[in-house]
Every structure is written in structure tokens, then in C-alpha cells.
Amino acid sequence: MGDEGIDAEPAAAEIEALRAERDDYRDRFMRALADAENARKRGERDRREAEQYGGSKLARDMLPVYDNLKRALDAASEEQREAAKALIEGVELTLRELVNVLTRHGVTPVTPAVGDAFDPQLHQAMFEAPVPGTRAGDIIQVMTEGFLLHERLLRPAQVGVSSTPKS
């Protein structure tokens, strides 16, 4: 009986050491599992963002084409429209097709109107001028439209903003 007491103490210590080691391995395993799950979620999120916003550089590069086609149509007088009816129609169709392609890929215009409130999240103030009959922060002129790619701002609308009119 005396021998059993001596053997029990080292065995209990060894069992406790094995339990501590087991708990350490279980903790490491759970952390590795959580890291793997986080990496999977991060990869999925990155994939979705790349799918949604991967074309933002191309879309941004296409916006000057939109601006130039729109300016060309705005610059044509009624006489020029009558004289070059087919040409004007071709430019309008090209602009419409460009808008359709951009829309299909999640690009939507930000089109402020004169009198709207200036929103620094969507608009870029190009100048400020006191204009009678307006409040400070009202849009008084729209130079170019802005664009969103899904929910992200691709390009702010360039606007002129009213400053507080002098009394």
C-alpha cells in the first residue's frame, strides 16, 4: 500500500500536465478555426467588392466621354440641329448607349438642380458667389454632373454655391 501513494502523486501531476496541454491545444485549435473563418469572410467580402467596384477606374475614365458628348449636344443651336440632323441623332444615340452601359454596371448620375442644397458628400464647390434671392449653401450653377458607382462616389458634381448675400 505504501508504494501506491508514491506512484499516485507523479501520475496526478502528469495527468494535470496532459490536461493543461490538451486545453492549450484546444485553445490554439479554436483560434485557428476562428482565423480561418475570418479569412474566408474577408475573402468573400473582398471578392464582392472587387466584383462591384473593380471597374471603377474604367468607369471614371469614361466620364469625360460622357461630358464631351453632352457638351456637343448642348452646344448645337437649332439651325445646326436641323442642318446636321443625322449627326446630332448619332451623337444622341451614342450618349444614350453610353448611359445604358454605365447604368448596367451600377454607375448612376448625381444631378443636382439649381436651388438644391449643397451636399459636400456628393458635390464639389467650384466657386462661391452672393446671389440675391438665395440662401447660403444653395446651388446656383451646375457645371458637371457627378456619378455614383453603386453607393460609392465616383465623381462629385461640380457646382457653384451661393454665399450669404450682403444686406
Side-chain angles (χ1 to χ4, degrees):
M1 271 200 192
D3 290 339
E4 289 176 15
I6 296 171
D7 290 338
E9 260 183 54
E14 189 176 337
I15 288 172
E16 193 53 42
L18 288 172
R19 282 186 180 144
E21 187 177 357
R22 177 202 63 195
D23 291 346
D24 182 51
Y25 282 130
R26 180 181 291 149
D27 184 52
R28 286 183 186 184
F29 172 74
M30 295 308 282
R31 287 176 191 270
L33 200 59
D35 284 346
E37 181 63 18
N38 288 340
R40 186 192 65 75
K41 286 178 183 175
R42 188 172 39 256
E44 178 65 24
R45 185 185 67 236
D46 290 348
R47 185 195 60 76
R48 274 195 320 272
E49 281 192 9
E51 196 174 283
Q52 272 194 322
Y53 302 112
S56 64
K57 191 170 169 59
L58 175 63
R60 195 174 290 114
D61 289 346
M62 293 302 295
L63 296 182
V65 175
Y66 171 86
D67 293 337
N68 290 332
L69 288 170
K70 197 158 175 63
R71 271 191 221 105
L73 290 173
D74 292 344
S77 66
E78 275 308 311
E79 293 108 25
Q80 290 170 329
R81 285 181 178 272
E82 285 301 315
K85 198 171 195 169
L87 176 66
I88 296 295
E89 189 176 312
V91 173
E92 286 172 340
L93 288 171
T94 304
L95 180 62
R96 197 171 315 129
E97 184 60 26
L98 178 61
V99 169
N100 289 339
V101 168
L102 290 172
T103 302
R104 209 170 29 246
H105 291 280
V107 178
T108 54
V110 173
T111 52
V114 172
D116 287 354
F118 175 76
D119 180 358
Q121 300 295 319
L122 299 173
H123 309 136
Q124 178 182 7
M126 300 306 290
F127 68 90
E128 218 177 37
V131 175
T134 63
R135 294 186 316 258
D138 283 353
I139 293 174
I140 55 175
Q141 184 181 353
V142 178
M143 275 83 85
T144 61
E145 292 176 309
F147 289 88
L148 294 170
L149 177 59
H150 300 289
E151 306 87 38
R152 286 188 187 166
L153 187 65
L154 194 59
R155 180 182 80 182
Q158 296 178 335
V159 297
V161 181
S162 174
S163 60
T164 307
K166 306 226 190 264
S167 307

